[in-house]
PDB file of all heavy atoms in Angstrom:
ATOM      1  N   TRP A1518     137.406  86.262 128.932  1.00 96.00           N
ATOM      2  CA  TRP A1518     136.299  85.688 129.689  1.00 96.00           C
ATOM      3  C   TRP A1518     135.051  85.650 128.818  1.00 96.00           C
ATOM      4  O   TRP A1518     134.709  86.649 128.185  1.00 96.00           O
ATOM      5  CB  TRP A1518     135.987  86.518 130.934  1.00 96.00           C
ATOM      6  CG  TRP A1518     137.070  86.674 131.941  1.00 96.00           C
ATOM      7  CD1 TRP A1518     137.633  87.839 132.378  1.00 96.00           C
ATOM      8  CD2 TRP A1518     137.721  85.634 132.692  1.00 96.00           C
ATOM      9  NE1 TRP A1518     138.587  87.604 133.330  1.00 96.00           N
ATOM     10  CE2 TRP A1518     138.660  86.253 133.546  1.00 96.00           C
ATOM     11  CE3 TRP A1518     137.589  84.239 132.716  1.00 96.00           C
ATOM     12  CZ2 TRP A1518     139.467  85.526 134.415  1.00 96.00           C
ATOM     13  CZ3 TRP A1518     138.407  83.516 133.578  1.00 96.00           C
ATOM     14  CH2 TRP A1518     139.326  84.147 134.412  1.00 96.00           C
ATOM     15  N   PRO A1519     134.343  84.539 128.778  1.00 96.00           N
ATOM     16  CA  PRO A1519     133.125  84.482 127.952  1.00 96.00           C
ATOM     17  C   PRO A1519     131.991  85.297 128.568  1.00 96.00           C
ATOM     18  O   PRO A1519     131.770  85.254 129.783  1.00 96.00           O
ATOM     19  CB  PRO A1519     132.785  82.984 127.941  1.00 96.00           C
ATOM     20  CG  PRO A1519     133.367  82.463 129.218  1.00 96.00           C
ATOM     21  CD  PRO A1519     134.622  83.261 129.459  1.00 96.00           C
ATOM     22  N   ILE A1520     131.301  86.053 127.747  1.00 96.00           N
ATOM     23  CA  ILE A1520     130.119  86.792 128.183  1.00 96.00           C
ATOM     24  C   ILE A1520     128.890  85.949 127.868  1.00 96.00           C
ATOM     25  O   ILE A1520     128.746  85.441 126.765  1.00 96.00           O
ATOM     26  CB  ILE A1520     130.038  88.154 127.471  1.00 96.00           C
ATOM     27  CG1 ILE A1520     131.261  89.009 127.844  1.00 96.00           C
ATOM     28  CG2 ILE A1520     128.746  88.894 127.832  1.00 96.00           C
ATOM     29  CD1 ILE A1520     131.346  90.323 127.098  1.00 96.00           C
ATOM     30  N   GLY A1521     128.020  85.801 128.854  1.00 96.00           N
ATOM     31  CA  GLY A1521     126.852  84.952 128.661  1.00 96.00           C
ATOM     32  C   GLY A1521     127.139  83.501 128.962  1.00 96.00           C
ATOM     33  O   GLY A1521     126.525  82.605 128.385  1.00 96.00           O
ATOM     34  N   ALA A1522     128.045  83.250 129.901  1.00 96.00           N
ATOM     35  CA  ALA A1522     128.413  81.879 130.255  1.00 96.00           C
ATOM     36  C   ALA A1522     128.901  81.844 131.691  1.00 96.00           C
ATOM     37  O   ALA A1522     129.365  82.853 132.241  1.00 96.00           O
ATOM     38  CB  ALA A1522     129.491  81.333 129.318  1.00 96.00           C
ATOM     39  N   LEU A1523     128.795  80.677 132.298  1.00 97.00           N
ATOM     40  CA  LEU A1523     129.242  80.474 133.667  1.00 97.00           C
ATOM     41  C   LEU A1523     130.739  80.170 133.696  1.00 97.00           C
ATOM     42  O   LEU A1523     131.217  79.267 133.005  1.00 97.00           O
ATOM     43  CB  LEU A1523     128.460  79.316 134.293  1.00 97.00           C
ATOM     44  CG  LEU A1523     128.969  78.729 135.613  1.00 97.00           C
ATOM     45  CD1 LEU A1523     128.961  79.763 136.707  1.00 97.00           C
ATOM     46  CD2 LEU A1523     128.120  77.527 136.011  1.00 97.00           C
ATOM     47  N   VAL A1524     131.464  80.939 134.509  1.00 98.00           N
ATOM     48  CA  VAL A1524     132.879  80.699 134.754  1.00 98.00           C
ATOM     49  C   VAL A1524     133.031  80.356 136.230  1.00 98.00           C
ATOM     50  O   VAL A1524     132.592  81.111 137.100  1.00 98.00           O
ATOM     51  CB  VAL A1524     133.741  81.931 134.415  1.00 98.00           C
ATOM     52  CG1 VAL A1524     135.202  81.678 134.773  1.00 98.00           C
ATOM     53  CG2 VAL A1524     133.597  82.297 132.945  1.00 98.00           C
ATOM     54  N   GLU A1525     133.624  79.206 136.516  1.00 97.00           N
ATOM     55  CA  GLU A1525     133.862  78.792 137.894  1.00 97.00           C
ATOM     56  C   GLU A1525     135.291  79.110 138.297  1.00 97.00           C
ATOM     57  O   GLU A1525     136.242  78.753 137.590  1.00 97.00           O
ATOM     58  CB  GLU A1525     133.637  77.289 138.044  1.00 97.00           C
ATOM     59  CG  GLU A1525     132.242  76.899 138.465  1.00 97.00           C
ATOM     60  CD  GLU A1525     132.160  75.428 138.823  1.00 97.00           C
ATOM     61  OE1 GLU A1525     132.125  74.589 137.906  1.00 97.00           O
ATOM     62  OE2 GLU A1525     132.144  75.120 140.028  1.00 97.00           O
ATOM     63  N   ILE A1526     135.428  79.780 139.438  1.00 97.00           N
ATOM     64  CA  ILE A1526     136.731  80.048 140.031  1.00 97.00           C
ATOM     65  C   ILE A1526     136.828  79.190 141.288  1.00 97.00           C
ATOM     66  O   ILE A1526     136.068  79.380 142.246  1.00 97.00           O
ATOM     67  CB  ILE A1526     136.892  81.538 140.396  1.00 97.00           C
ATOM     68  CG1 ILE A1526     136.572  82.433 139.192  1.00 97.00           C
ATOM     69  CG2 ILE A1526     138.288  81.806 140.935  1.00 97.00           C
ATOM     70  CD1 ILE A1526     137.491  82.234 138.014  1.00 97.00           C
ATOM     71  N   LEU A1527     137.735  78.227 141.285  1.00 96.00           N
ATOM     72  CA  LEU A1527     137.875  77.312 142.416  1.00 96.00           C
ATOM     73  C   LEU A1527     139.180  77.598 143.151  1.00 96.00           C
ATOM     74  O   LEU A1527     140.231  77.802 142.526  1.00 96.00           O
ATOM     75  CB  LEU A1527     137.851  75.862 141.930  1.00 96.00           C
ATOM     76  CG  LEU A1527     136.586  75.437 141.171  1.00 96.00           C
ATOM     77  CD1 LEU A1527     136.886  75.358 139.681  1.00 96.00           C
ATOM     78  CD2 LEU A1527     136.064  74.112 141.674  1.00 96.00           C
TER      79      LEU A1527
END
Side-chain angles (χ1 to χ4, degrees):
W1518 300 121
I1520 298 175
L1523 167 62
V1524 176
E1525 267 190 283
I1526 308 298
L1527 301 104

